[in-house]
């Protein structure tokens, strides 16, 4: 069977793509190991997806999935491990040794924030540990928080958090921070941020919620404990793109480069949407919009192939 | 009072921008004559906005508006007639002679489909008359419809409708259609489309729903009536951009040109989002995503001004 379109990924971009694809009468297969991507793992309420004043990530993604399943779309619960293009045809290989063929492909496999891999991190996700400042900053009004990572992302997180939090620590593992000078100046201007270098985070502690962290001062080798309410992890992300190497170009963050007007990658017929791409803003509503854009562009591409 | 940000427009792009702006702690004013833009006037259910299997345009926009009003955002019910930039400051002038000032502006004033201005058109909007093929095509399964307009938009609408409708007429006022050759070939391939040139539409008729149209054959001057169930209007749109001339560049459709990565126009600090821009795909979820993107870019811009 030759599909018109295979969509890889079950987060907001992939599901929206699926809804739009079927409405464009594209014979569509969506392949995903699970639905929801990062959204389903968010424990705090989402308040910035238009249409819902406050909704849990899981609930929102269940609504998305239900809406998708009302359409005539094939769904495979599997993990894509490789894509090949032979002539004008794509062959998609999965972990469980299945093969699927299509005329066009949308990669919407998302990205995972790079975890700290320290004690307590997993336990307190959504209970003080956050991987998304824009999403969660408003919860930390007048609280003390740490941002882990002294690059631009960490400094920008600290600047944003300064609108809410009482005190912010930036912890950087290296002897020097990597953020641009301008971000360093802006952080200074907030008057609320303290930068600690040579800091190796060891543990996140708490009861119901985070109440402290332990880090090692790498110069003195001493372990230091201090109380705080939030830990923002800003040490990069890992786009799920291994299976598509060779067919697309990547930026310096391993994100897929696209033409921002039509989500086309460097391989004709191969599109990408959402957090897996270089689109800077990682937000549910933006990923959903990008999924719709990618389908409408894929539709145009398929029309031209006829 | 100097706002950080003024958002112009109360459709999906403007409202989403408002929600995001306040969460970024930008001191924000939203100016709009009414909420909803084109969405509020859609009479048929929306089935392609992720999160809602089927919802009326009015109901969706009321949810958007309610969510916006929960935020600390100033709202002015007024019409913007002019924007000036003096130094780094924007001055926004309104119909009711008010003036507002800000450091950045997002134009999200939308676009209106160009109406036919024939008898019966207004009466049957949402009851057979549609200005959005992607939105409404699925309602016309096995029906006979007309597309008004023989340009690329009209031909593309006919190609899409051929997946659903039984028979499609394209009516073109001029002696020749303006669509690209490739679109003409694709229309031919559907085997379902008849092109009628020199056709001046006179009236759309019906009871509860559209049941016929009358057009004049401009060569013979005869009026011709024929039965059908749907009329798709594809004669272009009118972006609401008069007030921003001089500060932005326009494409050939009078849409505002933007950098697609950050929604920046040619004037620093002036951003645009949604249907008022050259973004090709006019969809609610895409406009909402663009509104969020524009705010996050405006936020970056404002940080750099500090």
């Amino acid at each position: 069977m030759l599909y018109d379109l295979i969509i890889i990924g079950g987060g907001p971009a992939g599901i929206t793509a699926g809804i739009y694809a079927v409405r464009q009468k594209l014979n569509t297969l969506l392949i995903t190991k699970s639905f929801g991507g990062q959204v389903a793992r968010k424990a705090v309420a989402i308040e910035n997806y238009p249409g819902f004043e406050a909704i849990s990530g899981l609930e929102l993604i269940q609504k998305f999935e239900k809406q998708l399943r009302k359409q005539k779309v094939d769904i495979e619960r599997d993990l894509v491990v490789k894509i090949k293009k032979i002539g004008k045809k794509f062959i998609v290989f999965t972990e469980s040794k299945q093969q699927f063929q299509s005329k066009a492909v949308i990669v919407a496999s998302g990205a995972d924030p790079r975890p700290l891999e320290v004690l307590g991190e997993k336990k307190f996700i959504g209970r003080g540990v956050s991987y998304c400042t824009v999403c969660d900053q408003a919860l930390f009004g007048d609280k003390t928080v740490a941002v882990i990572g002294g690059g631009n992302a960490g400094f920008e997180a600290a600047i944003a958090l300064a609108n809410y939090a009482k005190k912010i620590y930036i912890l950087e593992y290296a002897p020097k921070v990597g953020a641009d000078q301008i971000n360093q100046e802006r952080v200074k201007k907030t008057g609320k941020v303290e930068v600690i270098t040579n800091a190796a985070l060891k543990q996140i502690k708490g009861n119901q919620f985070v109440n402290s962290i332990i880090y090692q001062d790498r110069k003195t080798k001493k372990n230091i404990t201090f109380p705080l309410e939030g830990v923002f992890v800003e040490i990069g992300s890992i786009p799920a793109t291994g299976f598509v190497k060779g067919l697309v170009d990547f930026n310096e963050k391993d994100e897929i480069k696209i033409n921002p007007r039509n989500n086309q990658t460097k391989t004709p017929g191969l599109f990408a949407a959402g957090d897996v791409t270089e689109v800077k803003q990682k937000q549910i509503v933006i990923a959903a919009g990008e999924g719709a854009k990618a389908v409408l562009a894929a539709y145009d591409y398929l029309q031209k192939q006829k």
Side-chain angles (χ1 to χ4, degrees), chain A:
Chain A
M1 161 133 183
L2 179 64
Y3 285 100
D4 292 322
L5 179 65
I6 292 177
I7 297 164
I8 300 166
I15 296 177
T16 305
I19 293 167
Y20 266 81
V22 178
R23 293 178 68 86
Q24 293 299 102
K25 289 263 177 172
L26 301 179
N27 187 5
T28 302
L29 169 66
L30 187 145
I31 308 176
T32 190
K33 196 86 180 180
S34 65
F35 282 98
Q38 294 179 57
V39 181
R41 290 192 295 279
K42 274 181 68 75
V44 298
I46 293 163
E47 296 176 335
N48 60 5
Y49 183 78
F52 300 94
E53 282 181 31
I55 187 169
S56 77
L58 196 63
E59 205 184 333
L60 182 62
I61 217 68
Q62 280 168 348
K63 282 180 187 290
F64 276 41
E65 185 185 342
K66 194 167 160 230
Q67 192 172 353
L68 174 69
R69 287 184 182 279
K70 274 194 74 179
Q71 319 278 331
K72 278 187 191 153
V73 59
D74 288 347
I75 295 172
E76 281 289 333
R77 293 292 195 121
D78 209 340
L79 190 74
V80 172
V81 292
K82 182 84 198 154
I83 303 179
K84 280 187 191 168
K85 190 177 185 192
I86 296 171
K88 288 192 165 185
K89 211 161 66 181
F90 291 92
I91 307 172
V92 175
F93 300 84
T94 71
E95 197 180 39
S96 65
K97 311 282 177 207
Q98 297 192 86
Q99 283 186 29
F100 302 99
Q101 300 191 356
S102 67
K103 299 177 198 164
V105 169
I106 294 175
V107 177
S109 44
D112 286 313
R114 196 175 294 276
L116 297 164
E117 291 174 357
V118 302
L119 226 60
E121 176 182 19
K122 276 190 187 159
K123 185 178 169 191
F124 292 109
I125 289 173
R127 296 190 284 152
V129 172
S130 168
Y131 302 89
C132 177
T133 309
V134 170
C135 316
D136 299 332
Q137 56 190 6
L139 302 168
F140 291 85
D142 221 33
K143 302 219 157 122
T144 299
V145 301
V147 174
I148 314 301
N152 278 323
F155 272 66
E156 286 162 10
I159 294 162
L161 283 162
N163 287 320
Y164 293 95
K166 180 172 62 183
K167 174 80 189 175
I168 301 139
Y169 296 92
I170 297 177
L171 267 65
E172 168 58 46
Y173 183 85
K176 275 191 173 179
V177 299
D180 295 341
Q181 195 55 42
I182 187 156
N183 273 330
Q184 295 192 39
E185 282 163 21
R186 277 178 217 143
V187 153
K188 201 173 272 177
K189 271 194 199 159
T190 67
K192 289 180 164 184
V193 181
E194 189 173 321
V195 179
I196 305 171
T197 55
N198 276 313
L201 188 68
K202 293 292 175 193
Q203 191 175 351
I204 299 168
K205 296 179 75 172
N207 293 312
Q208 273 291 87
F209 294 90
V210 168
N211 64 23
S212 62
I213 59 171
I214 303 174
Y215 73 90
Q216 188 189 54
D217 182 321
R218 292 172 64 228
K219 270 160 87 181
T220 65
K221 304 287 174 201
K222 273 189 189 159
N223 278 349
I224 297 163
T225 301
F226 66 80
L228 46 64
E229 282 94 21
V231 179
F232 286 80
V233 184
E234 292 288 356
I235 56 169
S237 68
I238 314 172
T241 55
F243 58 85
V244 83
K245 287 203 169 80
L247 293 175
V248 303
D249 288 327
F250 296 102
N251 72 1
E252 73 289 352
K253 292 180 183 165
D254 281 330
E255 296 165 336
I256 297 173
K257 285 190 178 184
I258 55 169
N259 175 340
R261 294 189 193 276
N262 63 9
N263 297 65
Q264 175 72 62
T265 68
K266 77 168 179 186
T267 299
L270 183 59
F271 301 82
D275 286 9
V276 81
T277 72
E278 59 182 333
V279 168
K280 195 186 154 197
Q281 307 87 350
K282 311 301 190 197
Q283 295 293 310
I284 297 169
V285 69
I286 295 174
E290 291 285 308
K293 262 177 68 196
V295 166
L296 297 175
Y299 174 82
D300 285 347
Y301 167 83
L302 290 166
Q303 288 299 319
K304 279 176 196 147
Q305 303 300 305
K306 277 184 184 168

